Amino acid sequence: MELSKEQIELLKQVKNGTISTNTDYYFDNQILQDLMYKDKLIDPHLIWSKKYDALVPDAYKLTVTGQNELSKSLEKKNSNWKDKILYPIITGTVTGVIGYLLGKFG
């Protein structure tokens, strides 16, 4: 599963316990709802709200799948710089050396 920056940020907030438990935030945040009900990456603790006449979350925690997806996304994000920087440097250097050797000895 490929997570967007917004999804990764929400999962980090859940992991760190810094996500808002404001009910309006929950209702206005489709990404959060998708992570909870569609993707099953966040497990909400639900309580009954008389104001909204519905079950609303008052706490969140990552599911095991959510923890794994967050870890994979962070690992991929951190290792991505190597591919963008080191690969062109190495291939350029190897190409240059081969070109030099062919020019000198070829």
Side-chain angles (χ1 to χ4, degrees):
M1 166 185 281
E2 189 74 27
L3 297 175
S4 69
K5 288 181 183 180
E6 294 84 8
Q7 289 172 317
I8 292 171
E9 187 57 38
L10 280 172
L11 290 175
K12 280 195 225 174
Q13 289 176 11
V14 170
K15 181 181 177 185
N16 298 332
T18 58
I19 192 165
S20 173
T21 55
N22 182 303
T23 306
D24 291 329
Y25 179 76
Y26 161 73
F27 281 121
D28 294 339
N29 196 327
Q30 186 62 47
I31 296 172
L32 175 60
Q33 292 178 30
D34 285 347
L35 288 171
M36 290 167 48
Y37 302 118
K38 182 179 160 200
D39 301 325
K40 308 250 189 269
L41 300 181
I42 297 175
D43 185 24
H45 178 264
L46 301 172
I47 59 170
W48 185 258
S49 169
K50 291 181 183 180
K51 177 181 176 185
Y52 293 98
D53 198 29
L55 285 172
V56 296
D58 71 337
Y60 305 95
K61 69 177 184 176
L62 292 178
T63 62
V64 172
T65 306
Q67 292 171 359
N68 291 340
E69 289 298 328
L70 178 59
S71 294
K72 282 194 280 186
S73 293
L74 293 175
E75 183 178 303
K76 184 176 181 181
K77 182 179 174 185
N78 289 339
S79 68
N80 204 15
W81 72 270
K82 294 175 188 171
D83 298 335
K84 291 180 180 176
I85 295 172
L86 291 180
Y87 182 75
I89 291 172
I90 292 170
T91 56
T93 304
V94 169
T95 304
V97 168
I98 291 171
Y100 172 77
L101 292 174
L102 286 175
K104 186 159 180 108
F105 301 110

XYZ file of all heavy atoms in Angstrom:
858
model
N 0.849 -1.179 0.000
C 0.000 0.000 0.000
C 0.893 1.239 0.000
O 1.809 1.348 0.798
C -0.898 -0.034 1.245
C -1.585 1.282 1.538
S -2.523 1.273 3.071
C -3.972 0.438 2.530
N 0.617 2.141 -0.896
C 1.372 3.399 -0.998
C 0.608 4.479 -0.234
O -0.529 4.789 -0.566
C 1.517 3.785 -2.472
C 2.447 4.930 -2.722
C 3.914 4.552 -2.562
O 4.264 3.377 -2.747
O 4.696 5.458 -2.234
N 1.219 5.034 0.805
C 0.568 6.055 1.623
C 0.963 7.448 1.163
O 2.112 7.692 0.817
C 0.951 5.882 3.091
C 0.516 4.582 3.769
C 1.084 4.507 5.169
C -0.996 4.464 3.803
N -0.005 8.362 1.204
C 0.273 9.755 0.865
C 0.932 10.446 2.062
O 0.947 9.910 3.173
C -1.024 10.479 0.490
O -1.842 10.632 1.641
N 1.448 11.650 1.832
C 2.062 12.414 2.922
C 1.056 12.689 4.027
O 1.384 12.633 5.209
C 2.615 13.734 2.393
C 3.839 13.592 1.544
C 4.338 14.937 1.070
C 5.536 14.778 0.153
N 6.053 16.054 -0.325
N -0.189 13.002 3.642
C -1.233 13.298 4.624
C -1.550 12.065 5.465
O -1.733 12.161 6.680
C -2.514 13.792 3.931
C -2.372 15.132 3.237
C -1.775 15.011 1.827
O -1.603 13.880 1.307
O -1.478 16.070 1.246
N -1.613 10.895 4.811
C -1.886 9.669 5.549
C -0.748 9.342 6.512
O -0.989 8.969 7.660
C -2.088 8.505 4.569
C -3.375 8.584 3.784
C -3.441 7.526 2.704
O -2.471 7.276 2.003
N -4.606 6.911 2.572
N 0.484 9.505 6.050
C 1.642 9.245 6.910
C 1.626 10.180 8.113
O 1.862 9.757 9.244
C 2.956 9.392 6.116
C 3.076 8.280 5.081
C 4.164 9.390 7.044
C 4.224 8.445 4.101
N 1.304 11.451 7.879
C 1.262 12.425 8.967
C 0.186 12.051 9.999
O 0.429 12.120 11.207
C 1.016 13.834 8.414
C 1.131 14.921 9.448
C 2.470 14.955 10.170
O 3.516 14.714 9.534
O 2.465 15.210 11.389
N -0.992 11.643 9.534
C -2.046 11.228 10.467
C -1.640 9.989 11.255
O -1.871 9.915 12.465
C -3.352 10.967 9.715
C -4.170 12.187 9.347
C -5.336 11.802 8.443
C -4.699 12.888 10.584
N -1.017 9.029 10.595
C -0.571 7.826 11.301
C 0.496 8.159 12.339
O 0.496 7.598 13.439
C -0.046 6.789 10.299
C -1.105 6.143 9.405
C -0.445 5.232 8.370
C -2.129 5.377 10.208
N 1.393 9.090 12.004
C 2.399 9.530 12.985
C 1.729 10.189 14.191
O 2.142 9.958 15.327
C 3.360 10.531 12.344
C 4.445 9.924 11.509
C 5.515 10.982 11.270
C 5.989 11.069 9.887
N 6.902 12.163 9.612
N 0.712 11.020 13.926
C 0.009 11.688 15.019
C -0.674 10.669 15.921
O -0.659 10.806 17.150
C -1.024 12.674 14.474
C -0.429 13.907 13.848
C -1.493 14.810 13.244
O -2.688 14.635 13.457
N -1.050 15.786 12.460
N -1.280 9.639 15.340
C -1.917 8.592 16.143
C -0.861 7.871 16.975
O -1.045 7.653 18.172
C -2.683 7.594 15.241
C -3.144 6.387 16.041
C -3.875 8.280 14.585
N 0.250 7.523 16.337
C 1.332 6.807 17.045
C 1.859 7.628 18.217
O 2.094 7.097 19.298
C 2.468 6.504 16.066
C 3.611 5.763 16.691
C 4.722 5.500 15.705
C 5.880 4.814 16.400
N 7.027 4.652 15.522
N 2.031 8.944 18.011
C 2.574 9.815 19.054
C 1.527 10.304 20.041
O 1.871 10.966 21.019
C 3.271 11.020 18.415
C 4.450 10.609 17.560
O 5.068 9.585 17.802
N 4.746 11.385 16.539
N 0.256 10.034 19.767
C -0.817 10.480 20.655
C -1.119 11.965 20.554
O -1.662 12.549 21.483
N -0.763 12.579 19.428
C -0.970 14.022 19.266
C -2.147 14.353 18.350
O -2.379 15.522 18.071
C 0.300 14.693 18.708
O 0.628 14.092 17.451
C 1.462 14.546 19.671
N -2.876 13.359 17.896
C -4.003 13.602 16.995
C -5.176 14.187 17.773
O -5.412 13.852 18.932
C -4.415 12.314 16.254
C -5.384 12.637 15.118
C -4.984 11.289 17.206
C -5.559 11.526 14.127
N -5.888 15.088 17.141
C -7.035 15.732 17.784
C -8.175 14.730 17.967
O -8.493 13.969 17.056
C -7.522 16.893 16.909
O -8.720 17.418 17.429
N -8.778 14.745 19.134
C -9.954 13.906 19.376
C -11.237 14.723 19.285
O -12.294 14.265 19.681
C -9.865 13.208 20.749
O -9.674 14.201 21.756
C -8.723 12.209 20.787
N -11.110 15.927 18.736
C -12.269 16.784 18.527
C -13.213 16.109 17.537
O -12.802 15.672 16.468
C -11.800 18.148 17.994
C -12.938 19.112 17.795
O -13.877 18.836 17.074
N -12.825 20.263 18.432
N -14.491 16.041 17.882
C -15.471 15.360 17.040
C -15.617 16.029 15.680
O -15.754 15.351 14.657
C -16.832 15.299 17.763
O -16.635 14.695 19.050
C -17.820 14.457 16.987
N -15.572 17.351 15.645
C -15.669 18.043 14.354
C -14.477 17.696 13.463
O -14.629 17.561 12.248
C -15.754 19.561 14.550
C -17.078 19.978 15.181
O -18.084 19.284 14.941
O -17.089 20.989 15.902
N -13.303 17.565 14.055
C -12.110 17.173 13.301
C -12.328 15.809 12.661
O -11.999 15.588 11.505
C -10.891 17.158 14.223
C -9.601 16.740 13.559
C -8.924 17.611 12.720
C -9.062 15.481 13.780
C -7.731 17.240 12.101
C -7.878 15.093 13.172
C -7.214 15.978 12.340
O -6.048 15.605 11.730
N -12.922 14.895 13.420
C -13.206 13.550 12.912
C -14.177 13.603 11.734
O -13.941 13.003 10.691
C -13.757 12.681 14.045
C -14.488 11.452 13.583
C -13.790 10.367 13.066
C -15.875 11.374 13.649
C -14.455 9.237 12.636
C -16.539 10.244 13.227
C -15.835 9.185 12.719
O -16.495 8.062 12.286
N -15.281 14.352 11.892
C -16.283 14.405 10.835
C -15.782 15.132 9.586
O -16.194 14.827 8.477
C -17.573 15.066 11.328
C -18.436 14.148 12.155
C -18.768 14.481 13.459
C -18.909 12.961 11.644
C -19.564 13.640 14.221
C -19.708 12.101 12.402
C -20.033 12.445 13.692
N -14.874 16.096 9.753
C -14.371 16.880 8.621
C -13.175 16.242 7.920
O -12.743 16.725 6.876
C -13.963 18.289 9.089
C -15.158 19.099 9.553
O -16.288 18.767 9.154
O -14.952 20.060 10.314
N -12.625 15.173 8.475
C -11.393 14.596 7.948
C -11.669 13.250 7.267
O -11.659 12.199 7.905
C -10.376 14.435 9.072
C -8.985 14.215 8.555
O -8.798 13.608 7.516
N -8.019 14.702 9.305
N -11.894 13.300 5.960
C -12.184 12.083 5.200
C -10.997 11.125 5.175
O -11.171 9.914 5.197
C -12.602 12.433 3.770
C -13.063 11.235 2.959
C -14.293 10.570 3.538
O -15.253 11.239 3.892
N -14.258 9.249 3.656
N -9.783 11.667 5.160
C -8.588 10.812 5.147
C -8.532 9.980 6.432
O -8.267 8.782 6.401
C -7.306 11.650 4.983
C -7.306 12.356 3.626
C -6.054 10.789 5.140
C -6.181 13.351 3.440
N -8.821 10.610 7.557
C -8.836 9.900 8.839
C -9.892 8.795 8.826
O -9.626 7.662 9.238
C -9.110 10.886 9.986
C -9.264 10.295 11.379
C -8.002 9.559 11.806
C -9.619 11.377 12.380
N -11.068 9.115 8.334
C -12.146 8.115 8.282
C -11.773 6.950 7.361
O -12.045 5.791 7.684
C -13.442 8.771 7.827
C -13.988 9.751 8.843
C -15.250 10.435 8.364
O -16.026 9.870 7.609
N -15.467 11.668 8.804
N -11.138 7.249 6.232
C -10.696 6.179 5.324
C -9.652 5.287 5.986
O -9.689 4.062 5.833
C -10.121 6.756 4.031
C -11.192 7.293 3.094
O -12.396 7.013 3.319
O -10.830 8.014 2.139
N -8.718 5.899 6.707
C -7.694 5.113 7.400
C -8.311 4.211 8.464
O -7.802 3.125 8.751
C -6.643 6.024 8.029
C -5.681 6.705 7.060
C -4.834 7.742 7.794
C -4.791 5.693 6.369
N -9.428 4.654 9.035
C -10.092 3.869 10.071
C -10.966 2.760 9.486
O -10.828 1.601 9.882
C -10.961 4.786 10.943
C -10.178 5.711 11.826
S -11.147 7.032 12.589
C -12.544 6.214 13.242
N -11.844 3.098 8.581
C -12.879 2.160 8.156
C -12.565 1.436 6.850
O -12.906 0.270 6.694
C -14.217 2.890 8.031
C -14.618 3.534 9.330
C -14.763 4.906 9.438
C -14.820 2.769 10.476
C -15.113 5.501 10.640
C -15.161 3.347 11.681
C -15.315 4.713 11.760
O -15.649 5.298 12.951
N -11.922 2.094 5.913
C -11.616 1.478 4.619
C -10.312 0.687 4.685
O -10.271 -0.484 4.346
C -11.525 2.557 3.545
C -11.260 2.060 2.159
C -11.209 3.234 1.183
C -10.479 2.852 -0.072
N -10.013 4.006 -0.808
N -9.242 1.344 5.143
C -7.920 0.720 5.164
C -7.649 -0.070 6.440
O -6.728 -0.884 6.476
C -6.833 1.785 4.987
C -6.998 2.557 3.685
O -7.433 1.950 2.691
O -6.701 3.766 3.668
N -8.400 0.209 7.487
C -8.260 -0.484 8.786
C -6.851 -0.341 9.379
O -6.283 -1.278 9.917
C -8.622 -1.951 8.661
C -9.955 -2.222 8.019
C -10.934 -2.735 9.006
C -12.214 -3.215 8.379
N -13.242 -2.247 8.262
N -6.289 0.885 9.260
C -4.958 1.142 9.813
C -5.029 1.808 11.181
O -4.050 1.811 11.924
C -4.151 2.018 8.852
C -3.920 1.452 7.450
C -3.090 2.415 6.611
C -3.273 0.088 7.504
N -6.186 2.408 11.490
C -6.386 3.063 12.780
C -7.598 2.435 13.453
O -8.642 2.245 12.833
C -6.619 4.582 12.600
C -5.392 5.242 11.980
C -6.974 5.238 13.931
C -5.582 6.715 11.653
N -7.443 2.133 14.734
C -8.525 1.551 15.525
C -9.054 2.624 16.478
O -8.340 3.034 17.392
C -8.004 0.353 16.307
C -9.089 -0.380 17.063
O -10.263 -0.283 16.663
O -8.758 -1.059 18.053
N -10.293 3.088 16.279
C -10.833 4.119 17.161
C -11.493 3.502 18.398
O -12.002 2.383 18.352
C -11.886 4.797 16.286
C -12.406 3.686 15.435
C -11.205 2.798 15.166
N -11.458 4.230 19.486
C -12.266 3.879 20.652
C -13.502 4.763 20.559
O -13.399 5.994 20.617
C -11.510 4.147 21.956
C -12.331 3.829 23.162
N -13.041 4.784 23.837
C -12.574 2.645 23.770
C -13.687 4.209 24.837
N -13.411 2.912 24.817
N -14.668 4.150 20.395
C -15.891 4.901 20.136
C -16.731 5.076 21.391
O -16.823 4.166 22.219
C -16.721 4.197 19.059
C -16.030 3.997 17.709
C -16.874 3.123 16.801
C -15.753 5.332 17.047
N -17.336 6.252 21.506
C -18.292 6.543 22.575
C -19.542 7.143 21.940
O -19.507 7.660 20.820
C -17.712 7.515 23.628
C -17.312 8.843 22.981
C -16.533 6.880 24.352
C -16.969 9.938 23.967
N -20.646 7.087 22.649
C -21.895 7.651 22.135
C -21.927 9.157 22.409
O -21.675 9.604 23.522
C -23.099 6.988 22.774
C -24.375 7.463 22.166
C -25.243 8.380 22.684
C -24.910 7.073 20.905
N -26.279 8.582 21.829
C -26.105 7.790 20.710
C -24.513 6.197 19.911
C -26.906 7.650 19.586
C -25.302 6.051 18.791
C -26.472 6.777 18.641
N -22.250 9.921 21.383
C -22.364 11.364 21.516
C -23.833 11.754 21.414
O -24.476 11.522 20.383
C -21.573 12.065 20.406
O -21.885 13.444 20.381
N -24.356 12.343 22.492
C -25.752 12.821 22.452
C -25.877 13.994 21.495
O -26.885 14.143 20.808
C -26.208 13.230 23.852
C -26.366 12.063 24.789
C -26.849 12.520 26.145
C -26.937 11.339 27.088
N -27.389 11.723 28.412
N -24.837 14.823 21.436
C -24.855 15.993 20.562
C -25.028 15.592 19.102
O -25.793 16.195 18.362
C -23.560 16.794 20.744
C -23.431 17.995 19.831
C -22.113 18.715 20.051
C -21.939 19.853 19.063
N -20.625 20.475 19.189
N -24.291 14.567 18.673
C -24.336 14.123 17.276
C -25.267 12.930 17.069
O -25.507 12.526 15.941
C -22.928 13.764 16.789
C -22.022 14.956 16.713
C -21.119 15.240 17.739
C -22.068 15.817 15.626
C -20.281 16.341 17.661
C -21.246 16.921 15.551
C -20.351 17.173 16.571
O -19.529 18.274 16.497
N -25.742 12.351 18.155
C -26.602 11.174 18.103
C -25.938 10.070 17.273
O -26.543 9.479 16.383
C -27.981 11.533 17.534
C -29.025 10.463 17.858
O -28.891 9.794 18.895
O -29.961 10.302 17.039
N -24.682 9.854 17.579
C -23.899 8.862 16.839
C -22.691 8.435 17.664
O -22.333 9.105 18.637
C -23.420 9.457 15.516
N -22.074 7.336 17.255
C -20.810 6.920 17.860
C -19.687 7.776 17.288
O -19.600 7.960 16.077
C -20.526 5.450 17.545
C -21.351 4.429 18.309
C -21.102 3.032 17.753
C -21.024 4.464 19.793
N -18.861 8.299 18.173
C -17.736 9.140 17.750
C -16.485 8.676 18.497
O -16.557 8.197 19.620
C -17.989 10.642 18.028
C -19.166 11.146 17.194
C -18.225 10.901 19.499
N -15.318 8.816 17.869
C -14.077 8.388 18.524
C -13.629 9.375 19.601
O -13.761 10.586 19.433
C -13.057 8.348 17.386
C -13.703 8.906 16.188
C -15.116 9.204 16.485
N -13.143 8.842 20.700
C -12.542 9.700 21.722
C -11.065 9.360 21.917
O -10.365 10.021 22.676
C -13.306 9.627 23.044
C -13.126 8.312 23.770
O -12.790 7.307 23.105
O -13.319 8.277 24.990
N -10.586 8.331 21.194
C -9.170 7.966 21.225
C -8.881 7.102 19.999
O -9.781 6.474 19.443
C -8.844 7.190 22.493
N -7.616 7.119 19.580
C -7.204 6.345 18.423
C -5.940 5.568 18.755
O -5.127 6.011 19.556
C -6.869 7.268 17.234
C -7.964 8.217 16.830
C -7.989 9.521 17.308
C -8.955 7.811 15.944
C -8.982 10.401 16.923
C -9.953 8.687 15.548
C -9.967 9.981 16.042
O -10.958 10.846 15.653
N -5.784 4.425 18.120
C -4.516 3.697 18.188
C -4.298 3.022 16.843
O -5.236 2.763 16.091
C -4.506 2.681 19.324
C -5.424 1.513 19.136
C -5.289 0.525 20.275
C -6.183 -0.686 19.984
N -6.044 -1.710 20.992
N -3.033 2.773 16.527
C -2.701 2.104 15.278
C -2.986 0.614 15.391
O -2.712 0.002 16.424
C -1.216 2.293 14.937
C -0.756 3.693 14.560
C 0.748 3.685 14.296
C -1.492 4.203 13.343
N -3.528 0.041 14.332
C -3.646 -1.410 14.267
C -2.259 -1.962 13.948
O -1.334 -1.207 13.621
C -4.637 -1.839 13.175
O -4.144 -1.403 11.909
C -6.025 -1.263 13.424
N -2.112 -3.260 14.022
C -0.831 -3.876 13.675
C -0.498 -3.561 12.219
O 0.641 -3.211 11.890
C -0.873 -5.404 13.924
C 0.380 -6.082 13.393
C -1.064 -5.697 15.397
N -1.504 -3.646 11.358
C -1.292 -3.314 9.952
C -0.891 -1.854 9.806
O -0.015 -1.520 9.002
C -2.568 -3.591 9.136
O -2.974 -4.948 9.355
C -2.355 -3.358 7.655
N -1.512 -0.978 10.585
C -1.174 0.444 10.549
C 0.267 0.702 10.967
O 0.968 1.511 10.356
N 0.714 -0.002 12.007
C 2.105 0.140 12.452
C 3.069 -0.328 11.366
O 4.077 0.330 11.092
C 2.332 -0.680 13.733
C 1.594 -0.145 14.929
C 1.661 -1.091 16.117
O 2.248 -2.159 16.048
N 1.039 -0.694 17.212
N 2.732 -1.448 10.730
C 3.596 -1.989 9.677
C 3.650 -1.054 8.475
O 4.724 -0.809 7.926
C 3.112 -3.372 9.234
C 3.306 -4.425 10.303
O 4.110 -4.255 11.210
N 2.558 -5.506 10.209
N 2.496 -0.540 8.056
C 2.454 0.355 6.895
C 3.216 1.655 7.169
O 3.913 2.165 6.297
C 1.007 0.654 6.486
C 0.285 -0.508 5.850
C 0.905 -0.983 4.554
O 1.472 -0.161 3.814
O 0.827 -2.191 4.281
N 3.060 2.189 8.386
C 3.787 3.405 8.750
C 5.291 3.148 8.733
O 6.064 3.935 8.181
C 3.345 3.919 10.122
C 4.057 5.166 10.636
C 3.861 6.340 9.674
C 3.558 5.536 12.027
N 5.723 2.042 9.300
C 7.152 1.701 9.319
C 7.699 1.551 7.906
O 8.775 2.061 7.588
C 7.380 0.400 10.093
O 7.065 0.572 11.444
N 6.949 0.839 7.050
C 7.402 0.649 5.663
C 7.489 1.980 4.927
O 8.446 2.225 4.198
C 6.442 -0.283 4.912
C 6.631 -1.749 5.230
C 5.913 -2.633 4.245
C 4.454 -2.728 4.571
N 3.704 -3.685 3.750
N 6.499 2.849 5.135
C 6.490 4.139 4.448
C 7.644 5.024 4.914
O 8.279 5.692 4.102
C 5.166 4.861 4.675
O 4.121 4.176 4.050
N 7.905 5.034 6.221
C 9.011 5.840 6.751
C 10.347 5.283 6.285
O 11.257 6.039 5.952
C 8.942 5.900 8.275
C 7.754 6.661 8.852
C 7.746 6.550 10.365
C 7.754 8.110 8.406
N 10.479 3.964 6.244
C 11.716 3.346 5.789
C 11.944 3.653 4.311
O 13.048 3.990 3.901
C 11.639 1.833 5.996
C 12.900 1.091 5.626
C 12.762 -0.393 5.909
O 12.475 -0.748 7.057
O 12.934 -1.178 4.958
N 10.895 3.555 3.524
C 10.999 3.851 2.093
C 11.355 5.317 1.879
O 12.185 5.654 1.043
C 9.682 3.526 1.400
C 9.725 3.699 -0.085
C 8.413 3.278 -0.717
C 8.473 3.443 -2.217
N 7.223 3.069 -2.848
N 10.736 6.188 2.658
C 11.003 7.627 2.540
C 12.460 7.931 2.898
O 13.118 8.722 2.235
C 10.054 8.394 3.468
C 10.180 9.889 3.404
C 9.184 10.535 4.354
C 9.377 12.017 4.431
N 8.517 12.646 5.412
N 12.972 7.280 3.943
C 14.344 7.534 4.383
C 15.377 6.942 3.434
O 16.455 7.497 3.273
C 14.558 6.971 5.793
C 13.810 7.780 6.838
O 13.460 8.926 6.606
N 13.542 7.175 7.975
N 15.072 5.821 2.802
C 16.052 5.203 1.909
C 15.962 5.767 0.501
O 16.829 5.508 -0.321
C 15.856 3.689 1.877
O 14.636 3.370 1.251
N 14.929 6.509 0.199
C 14.713 7.031 -1.149
C 15.813 8.005 -1.566
O 16.164 8.081 -2.743
C 13.340 7.699 -1.225
C 12.807 7.747 -2.623
O 13.299 7.068 -3.508
N 11.800 8.559 -2.827
N 16.366 8.759 -0.626
C 17.405 9.737 -0.973
C 18.635 9.053 -1.546
O 19.315 9.586 -2.408
C 17.775 10.595 0.226
C 18.557 9.860 1.279
C 18.071 9.169 2.339
C 19.984 9.718 1.349
N 19.084 8.608 3.056
C 20.266 8.930 2.486
C 21.027 10.185 0.577
C 21.555 8.589 2.852
C 22.327 9.842 0.942
C 22.578 9.058 2.075
N 18.921 7.841 -1.089
C 20.084 7.119 -1.603
C 19.917 6.832 -3.092
O 20.860 6.961 -3.860
C 20.268 5.812 -0.840
C 20.618 5.989 0.622
C 20.652 4.654 1.324
C 20.800 4.849 2.818
N 20.630 3.601 3.538
N 18.697 6.426 -3.460
C 18.440 6.109 -4.859
C 18.548 7.353 -5.734
O 19.020 7.280 -6.864
C 17.042 5.499 -5.022
C 16.892 4.186 -4.268
O 17.924 3.517 -4.041
O 15.763 3.833 -3.917
N 18.120 8.473 -5.222
C 18.113 9.707 -6.008
C 19.504 10.327 -6.126
O 19.802 11.001 -7.100
C 17.157 10.731 -5.397
C 15.704 10.351 -5.526
C 14.807 11.397 -4.916
C 13.350 11.010 -5.049
N 12.475 11.953 -4.395
N 20.358 10.120 -5.139
C 21.670 10.770 -5.128
C 22.794 9.803 -5.514
O 23.590 10.098 -6.400
C 21.957 11.386 -3.739
C 20.952 12.511 -3.465
C 23.375 11.909 -3.649
C 21.017 13.046 -2.063
N 22.850 8.662 -4.856
C 23.978 7.761 -5.059
C 23.973 7.076 -6.426
O 25.016 6.931 -7.047
C 24.008 6.702 -3.957
C 24.362 7.209 -2.565
C 24.356 6.064 -1.565
C 25.713 7.894 -2.560
N 22.827 6.664 -6.891
C 22.753 5.949 -8.164
C 23.324 6.774 -9.318
O 24.170 6.268 -10.060
C 21.317 5.497 -8.455
C 21.190 4.719 -9.735
C 21.636 3.395 -9.814
C 20.643 5.300 -10.873
C 21.544 2.686 -10.989
C 20.544 4.588 -12.056
C 20.986 3.279 -12.105
O 20.897 2.580 -13.276
N 22.898 8.028 -9.502
C 23.487 8.807 -10.603
C 24.991 9.044 -10.439
O 25.732 9.046 -11.429
C 22.738 10.140 -10.550
C 21.486 9.861 -9.816
C 21.792 8.748 -8.877
N 25.445 9.226 -9.212
C 26.872 9.446 -8.981
C 27.665 8.204 -9.367
O 28.675 8.278 -10.071
C 27.149 9.837 -7.511
C 26.579 11.233 -7.233
C 28.639 9.776 -7.197
C 26.630 11.632 -5.773
N 27.200 7.049 -8.914
C 27.913 5.796 -9.189
C 27.892 5.487 -10.681
O 28.931 5.170 -11.270
C 27.311 4.635 -8.362
C 27.617 4.859 -6.875
C 27.843 3.285 -8.832
C 26.883 3.939 -5.936
N 26.721 5.566 -11.302
C 26.650 5.243 -12.730
C 27.452 6.238 -13.561
O 28.092 5.861 -14.541
C 25.198 5.189 -13.235
O 24.551 6.422 -12.946
C 24.435 4.048 -12.615
N 27.443 7.494 -13.187
C 28.232 8.496 -13.901
C 29.717 8.241 -13.775
O 30.477 8.360 -14.746
N 30.137 7.862 -12.579
C 31.549 7.576 -12.341
C 31.997 6.346 -13.127
O 33.041 6.357 -13.779
C 31.817 7.360 -10.833
O 31.370 8.514 -10.130
C 33.270 7.108 -10.549
N 31.202 5.286 -13.066
C 31.546 4.056 -13.785
C 31.597 4.322 -15.288
O 32.522 3.890 -15.978
C 30.530 2.931 -13.456
C 30.714 1.737 -14.382
C 30.685 2.497 -12.006
N 30.627 5.052 -15.812
C 30.595 5.388 -17.236
C 31.829 6.206 -17.621
O 32.447 5.974 -18.661
C 29.309 6.160 -17.592
O 28.177 5.377 -17.197
C 29.219 6.452 -19.069
N 32.179 7.148 -16.777
C 33.360 7.976 -17.039
C 34.641 7.163 -17.059
O 35.508 7.353 -17.920
N 34.793 6.253 -16.107
C 35.992 5.408 -16.032
C 36.069 4.505 -17.251
O 37.137 4.353 -17.872
C 36.005 4.578 -14.721
C 37.072 3.500 -14.754
C 36.201 5.491 -13.527
N 34.953 3.906 -17.632
C 34.939 3.029 -18.809
C 35.290 3.832 -20.064
O 36.093 3.396 -20.902
C 33.570 2.317 -18.949
C 33.395 1.298 -17.826
C 33.446 1.641 -20.316
C 32.016 0.690 -17.746
N 34.707 5.011 -20.182
C 35.015 5.872 -21.322
C 36.485 6.246 -21.360
O 37.125 6.240 -22.425
N 37.041 6.578 -20.232
C 38.455 6.933 -20.150
C 39.341 5.761 -20.554
O 40.283 5.897 -21.338
C 38.804 7.382 -18.721
C 40.278 7.596 -18.498
C 40.905 8.741 -18.971
C 41.045 6.648 -17.829
C 42.277 8.934 -18.784
C 42.397 6.819 -17.633
C 43.010 7.984 -18.124
O 44.353 8.169 -17.933
N 39.029 4.575 -20.013
C 39.835 3.399 -20.325
C 39.735 3.018 -21.797
O 40.740 2.628 -22.419
C 39.414 2.225 -19.435
C 39.737 2.353 -17.944
C 39.136 1.211 -17.156
C 41.243 2.455 -17.734
N 38.545 3.123 -22.365
C 38.386 2.816 -23.792
C 39.135 3.821 -24.645
O 39.742 3.470 -25.664
C 36.893 2.793 -24.174
C 36.098 1.578 -23.706
C 34.627 1.764 -24.039
C 36.634 0.302 -24.326
N 39.129 5.079 -24.245
C 39.848 6.109 -24.982
C 41.348 5.931 -24.893
O 42.073 6.190 -25.847
N 41.814 5.513 -23.734
C 43.254 5.385 -23.521
C 43.800 4.100 -24.144
O 44.877 4.105 -24.735
C 43.546 5.428 -22.027
C 45.019 5.437 -21.715
C 45.232 5.989 -20.331
C 46.687 5.994 -20.011
N 47.286 7.319 -20.000
N 43.078 3.006 -23.942
C 43.588 1.709 -24.383
C 42.846 1.132 -25.577
O 43.243 0.109 -26.096
C 43.529 0.684 -23.223
C 44.319 1.127 -22.036
C 43.683 1.517 -20.859
C 45.712 1.144 -22.084
C 44.423 1.905 -19.752
C 46.444 1.551 -20.980
C 45.804 1.926 -19.814
N 41.721 1.744 -25.973
C 40.893 1.171 -27.038
C 41.308 1.519 -28.351
O 41.920 1.344 -29.251
